[in-house]
């Protein structure tokens, strides 16, 4: 990601090849994020391991480069910041410009001054729109870790021994990880600087240390092959996105791959590929540029009405966008990144070098060595005290009054001509509850000043049909009904959701506005702001469900009589905080739930869902004469209190 072209590593083929692989993995997983409507038959989650591979590579390069060419902290930081920051700033500002000029083009961003400024400065902060710690240019989350690692490593360059540097780095990051696992901090600085993923820099640095000692060259060919095969298998089949589990799976698998390839290269058995060397050099540009290409692919296929949800067309679209993203990154590398880096290094590094004190000779006397060791111990103590200070500060912040909710997303369909697909994605196919309808994007549209989710009596083939599957969503060949369902692209935690809606009429209709968690695994959590079934035409059902699994739930529910449910517009609102969950209809409270303790599932992030189901386990028999039926949405507002 950021280590490309570092002196001393350009011609280590194993590193270049792994850079190329890491970039391709990241692009691959994002084909399922930016273009999720493109059909792909297998999971893509393991592509996230590209980030872990990048982090291990970064730790390796920093250790090897500084061992091969001793340097001081100032020159080291100057080189690393020149390498990482300018291109990132360029893409961040470009995306900001696009968001301001053509907001419908990019995935939804909250463009505020503090959000953009803190992102440009690599300062960890809370992103209220997504309930996480991503910067304005979302891919920059990895650079927050990189910059932190660079500053820590720069301080360690004051020590004369690379073994001592590695020991202190491992001790510091292990201490931070232990704190994280014990307290699960939510403070942005603690969440990032203590996150277990920082151990992947240590893993890479350890491989770098072995490389400088010549140990890797002693690995036998069978062992090297086993490391490569085992590392690749673990990376794909065992990836786990949990904070610590990904270090144990993707982090160690990346190290195994690197060890095996380095050992193979040391025996002269790793052939040189000009293409892979180029892709390794261009990996940072590929990493930064590919979201724009994927976004253009999403916008373009939508404008051309290409049926990318179908298997053959969808798979072709994924492969094509993957290739175009890589090609665009190479172009950016050759035409922008390389010339810009050459200019900045020529103009700035000489100045830094001129101010750098002479490097100490390798053979230091006993007193200097002891002073260096004490300096390292003092640095470790200061870092530990800093972590503790931030932890106490976080406890103090937790006692402060909650911030007022602010509007982070709004759609008024009296003015908007289409659904904001940067905020929403579509559900496609058979999904849940043995419902009769097949969800399609075509059933979601704006008409007569409202967003319509339309249920229709029409036949459709299941694009994911598999007659051998035991899953009814795949073993069902056809459906006699279609409808629409939308899901927010981002999870939220705390704030408010307000929807002005009008329910359809007719037996078998089952409209709902609800919140559902579980994208990150158990526990199960669900808040039903509105559920209505046509067989009970005047009742709104409101509920909450939480528990370890779907079969072990605690339930809260309420029924509200709304005689004009289908004839008039009504305001449905969820107000959600750590202390209470309140659902109201036209300003009158329908349900109130108090989460039970800090680990209550109802305190964890969820996504917004709006759908019109037909039939199913609760909808019951469908009155075909009532179709087409529309669940109409006049406006949607989402608020965040920034907690």
């Amino acid at each position: 990601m950021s280590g490309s072209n570092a002196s001393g590593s350009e011609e280590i083929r194993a590193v270049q090849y792994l850079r190329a692989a890491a970039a391709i993995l990241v692009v691959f997983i994002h084909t399922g994020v930016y273009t999720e409507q493109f059909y792909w038959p297998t999971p893509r989650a393991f592509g996230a391991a590209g980030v872990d591979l990048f982090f291990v590579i970064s730790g390796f390069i920093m250790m090897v480069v500084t061992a091969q060419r001793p340097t001081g902290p100032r020159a080291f930081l100057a080189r690393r910041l020149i390498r990482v920051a300018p291109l990132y700033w360029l893409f961040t500002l470009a995306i900001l410009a696009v968001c301001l000029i053509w907001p419908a083009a990019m995935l939804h961003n909250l463009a505020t001054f503090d959000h953009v400024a803190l992102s440009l400065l690599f300062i960890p902060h809370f992103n209220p729109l997504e309930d996480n710690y991503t910067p304005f240019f979302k891919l920059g989350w990895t650079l927050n870790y990189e910059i932190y690692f660079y500053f820590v490593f720069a301080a360690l360059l004051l020590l004369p021994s690379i073994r001592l540097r590695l020991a202190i780095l491992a001790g510091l990051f292990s201490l931070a990880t232990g704190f994280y696992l014990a307290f699960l901090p939510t403070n942005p600085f603690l969440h990032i600087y203590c996150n277990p993923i920082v151990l992947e820099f240590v893993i890479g640095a350890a491989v770098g240390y072995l490389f400088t000692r010549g140990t890797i060259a002693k690995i036998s060919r069978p062992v090297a092959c086993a490391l490569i095969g085992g590392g690749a298998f673990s990376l794909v089949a065992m990836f786990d996105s949990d904070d610590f589990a990904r270090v144990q799976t993707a982090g160690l698998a990346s190290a195994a791959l690197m060890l095996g390839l380095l050992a193979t290269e040391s025996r002269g058995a790793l052939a040189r590929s000009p293409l892979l060397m180029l892709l390794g050099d261009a990996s940072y540009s590929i990493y930064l540029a590919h979201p724009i290409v994927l976004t253009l692919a999403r916008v373009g296929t939508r404008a051309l009405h290409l049926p990318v949800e179908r298997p053959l067309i969808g798979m072709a679209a994924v492969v094509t966008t993957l290739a175009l993203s890589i090609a665009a990154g190479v172009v950016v590398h050759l035409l922008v990144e390389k010339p810009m880096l050459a200019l900045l290094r020529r103009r700035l590094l000489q100045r830094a070098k001129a101010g750098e004190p002479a490097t100490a000779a390798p053979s230091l006397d006993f007193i200097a060595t002891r002073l260096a060791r004490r300096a390292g111990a003092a640095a470790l103590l200061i870092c530990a005290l800093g972590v503790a200070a931030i932890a106490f500060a976080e406890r103090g912040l937790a006692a402060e009054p909650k911030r007022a909710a602010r509007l982070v997303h709004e759609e008024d369909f009296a003015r908007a001509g289409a659904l904001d697909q940067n905020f929403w994605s579509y559900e496609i196919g058979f999904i849940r509850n043995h419902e009769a309808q097949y969800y399609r994007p075509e059933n979601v549209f704006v008409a007569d000043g409202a967003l319509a989710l339309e249920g229709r009596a029409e036949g459709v083939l299941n694009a994911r049909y598999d007659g051998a599957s035991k899953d009814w969503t795949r073993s069902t060949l056809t459906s006699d009904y279609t409808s629409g369902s939308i899901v927010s692209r981002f999870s939220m935690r705390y704030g408010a959701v307000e929807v002005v809606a009008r329910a359809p009429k007719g037996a078998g209709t089952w409209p709902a506005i609800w919140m559902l968690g579980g994208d990150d695994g158990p526990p199960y959590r669900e808040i039903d702001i509105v559920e209505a079934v046509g067989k009970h035409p005047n009742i709104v059902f409101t509920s909450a469900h939480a528990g370890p699994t779907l079969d072990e739930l605690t339930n809260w529910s309420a029924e509200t009589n709304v005689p004009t449910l289908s004839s008039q517009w009504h305001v449905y609102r969820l107000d959600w905080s750590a202390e209470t969950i309140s659902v109201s209809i036209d300003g009158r409270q329908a349900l109130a739930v108090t989460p039970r303790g800090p680990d209550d599932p109802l305190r964890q992030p969820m996504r917004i869902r709006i759908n019109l189901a037909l039939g199913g386990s609760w909808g019951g028999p469908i009155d075909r004469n009532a179709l087409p039926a529309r669940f109409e949405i006049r406006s949607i507002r989402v608020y965040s209190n920034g907690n």
Side-chain angles (χ1 to χ4, degrees):
M1 180 192 318
S2 60
S4 178
N5 296 328
S7 296
S9 65
E10 301 96 324
E11 290 302 320
I12 301 179
R13 295 173 190 173
V15 172
Q16 292 293 82
Y17 295 176
L18 289 174
R19 281 192 187 122
I24 293 170
L25 282 171
V26 172
V27 178
F28 177 66
I29 189 176
H30 285 156
T31 61
V33 176
Y34 291 83
T35 55
E36 65 179 349
Q37 71 272 32
F38 291 13
Y39 176 87
W40 190 258
T42 59
R44 286 176 271 193
F46 71 87
V51 169
D52 306 87
L53 186 51
F54 270 131
F55 285 173
V56 172
I57 292 170
S58 185
F60 172 86
I61 292 174
M62 297 309 105
M63 181 62 75
V64 171
V65 168
T66 54
Q68 292 178 344
R69 189 184 63 186
T71 186
R74 180 179 175 184
F76 173 82
L77 284 176
R79 287 184 175 276
R80 300 320 306 156
L81 292 176
I82 287 174
R83 177 70 190 90
V84 170
L87 194 63
Y88 170 69
W89 289 339
L90 187 63
F91 273 96
T92 299
L93 295 176
I95 289 174
L96 174 61
V98 172
C99 287
L100 296 176
I101 298 170
W102 187 20
M106 303 300 294
L107 284 176
H108 202 280
N109 267 311
L110 183 64
T112 63
F113 175 80
D114 57 342
H115 187 33
V116 175
L118 292 171
S119 300
L120 290 171
L121 294 173
F122 305 102
I123 297 176
H125 60 285
F126 185 80
N127 182 339
L129 180 63
E130 299 191 37
D131 191 57
N132 58 26
Y133 307 94
T134 56
F136 177 75
F137 181 21
K138 297 176 184 60
L139 268 64
W141 73 269
T142 61
L143 299 181
N144 286 343
Y145 287 99
E146 288 275 0
I147 296 297
Y148 168 58
F149 171 59
Y150 294 157
F151 273 91
V152 172
F153 199 84
L156 295 176
L157 292 177
L158 296 171
L159 302 175
S161 165
I162 62 172
R163 178 186 295 181
L164 187 58
R165 293 173 195 168
L166 177 60
I168 293 181
L169 180 69
L172 172 62
F173 282 2
S174 296
L175 178 66
T177 296
F179 169 81
Y180 182 96
L181 296 175
F183 297 101
L184 298 177
T186 57
N187 175 276
F189 285 91
L190 285 175
H191 183 85
I192 289 178
Y193 295 163
C194 298
N195 195 291
I197 202 171
V198 299
L199 290 175
E200 293 178 343
F201 295 111
V202 179
I203 292 171
V207 176
Y209 174 76
L210 294 176
F211 180 81
T212 61
R213 301 271 297 188
T215 306
I216 295 176
K218 301 176 183 178
I219 296 175
S220 66
R221 180 171 296 179
V223 172
C225 291
L227 287 169
I228 295 171
F233 175 80
S234 299
L235 209 66
V236 174
M238 300 179 64
F239 176 77
D240 192 324
S241 61
D242 178 76
D243 287 325
F244 190 56
R246 73 182 299 165
V247 178
Q248 297 173 295
T249 55
L252 294 177
S254 298
L257 271 172
M258 180 175 286
L259 285 167
L261 287 172
L262 288 169
T264 302
E265 183 177 0
S266 70
R267 296 177 178 274
L270 190 64
R272 191 180 193 280
S273 168
L275 176 60
L276 289 178
M277 296 295 286
L278 174 61
L279 294 181
D281 281 335
S283 58
Y284 188 43
S285 291
I286 294 171
Y287 180 80
L288 293 179
H290 79 270
I292 295 177
V293 179
L294 295 179
T295 298
L296 291 174
R298 173 173 54 84
V299 173
T301 54
R302 189 170 68 225
L304 296 173
H305 303 289
L306 296 179
V308 291
E309 72 278 0
R310 296 179 182 175
L312 291 179
I313 297 176
M315 288 189 288
V318 169
V319 173
T320 301
T321 53
L322 184 66
L324 289 174
S325 297
I326 295 169
V330 172
V331 171
V332 170
H333 168 68
L334 295 175
L335 301 184
V336 179
E337 183 185 12
K338 283 187 70 174
M340 181 175 64
L341 285 177
L343 175 64
L344 291 173
R345 285 167 176 165
R346 188 166 59 249
R347 294 288 181 87
L348 300 178
L349 286 184
Q350 292 301 320
R351 187 180 308 169
K353 186 176 180 180
E356 184 70 29
T359 306
S363 55
L364 299 174
D365 59 29
F366 177 73
I367 296 177
T369 302
R370 290 195 63 183
L371 289 174
R373 289 177 182 271
R374 290 180 180 180
L380 180 62
L381 178 60
I382 291 171
C383 290
L385 292 174
V387 168
I390 298 175
F392 282 114
E394 184 188 39
R395 289 192 176 187
L397 289 172
E400 294 179 358
K402 302 296 181 183
R403 286 172 278 183
R406 60 171 173 167
L407 184 67
V408 295
H409 178 74
E410 180 178 19
E411 290 176 86
D412 184 344
F413 297 105
R415 300 193 304 267
L419 180 72
D420 183 355
Q421 294 186 41
N422 302 309
F423 188 83
W424 300 98
S425 62
Y426 298 103
E427 288 191 299
I428 299 175
F430 297 111
I431 304 297
R432 62 183 76 85
N433 298 327
H434 286 274
E435 296 159 4
Q437 83 291 328
Y438 186 91
Y439 284 129
R440 304 189 309 169
E442 299 94 309
N443 293 63
V444 181
F445 54 90
V446 174
D448 303 323
L451 178 72
L453 284 69
E454 187 170 80
R456 304 168 186 164
E458 58 182 353
V460 64
L461 290 172
N462 184 359
R464 292 187 168 90
Y465 173 71
D466 178 2
S469 175
K470 296 182 179 180
D471 181 352
W472 75 273
T473 66
R474 298 181 70 92
S475 62
T476 304
L477 176 60
T478 64
S479 172
D480 294 329
Y481 302 95
T482 64
S483 191
S485 177
I486 57 175
V487 183
S488 64
R489 291 184 180 275
F490 314 114
S491 298
M492 64 175 289
R493 182 171 74 105
Y494 307 151
V497 177
E498 182 181 278
V499 180
V500 180
R502 184 165 59 191
K505 295 180 180 179
T509 59
W510 181 2
I513 304 170
W514 51 307
M515 311 287 294
L516 182 65
D519 293 325
D520 53 353
Y524 185 89
R525 62 266 192 196
E526 175 184 339
I527 302 172
D528 299 308
I529 305 171
V530 178
E531 278 192 287
V533 286
K535 59 188 177 184
H536 301 296
N538 300 324
I539 297 177
V540 170
F541 298 89
T542 306
S543 57
H545 314 279
T549 67
L550 188 59
D551 298 322
E552 304 174 80
L553 296 179
T554 301
N555 305 293
W556 300 262
S557 61
E559 299 179 9
T560 305
N561 187 39
V562 184
T564 57
L565 179 63
S566 301
S567 60
Q568 294 183 14
W569 298 100
H570 295 279
V571 181
Y572 303 98
R573 182 180 173 102
L574 165 68
D575 287 282
W576 181 19
S577 70
E579 290 75 30
T580 186
I581 295 169
S582 175
V583 177
S584 62
I585 303 174
D586 296 328
R588 299 183 63 180
Q589 188 177 82
L591 178 71
V593 176
T594 301
R596 300 166 296 181
D599 297 326
D600 193 297
L602 296 178
R603 284 185 166 181
Q604 298 187 27
M606 302 184 223
R607 292 179 188 255
I608 311 166
R609 296 173 185 262
I610 303 176
N611 67 280
L612 173 57
L614 299 174
S617 57
W618 194 22
I622 302 169
D623 180 4
R624 292 179 66 93
N625 296 322
L627 303 179
R630 291 183 179 180
F631 185 24
E632 297 176 290
I633 310 296
R634 192 163 68 182
S635 65
I636 302 170
R637 293 179 177 85
V638 180
Y639 301 82
S640 173
N641 59 13
N643 293 311

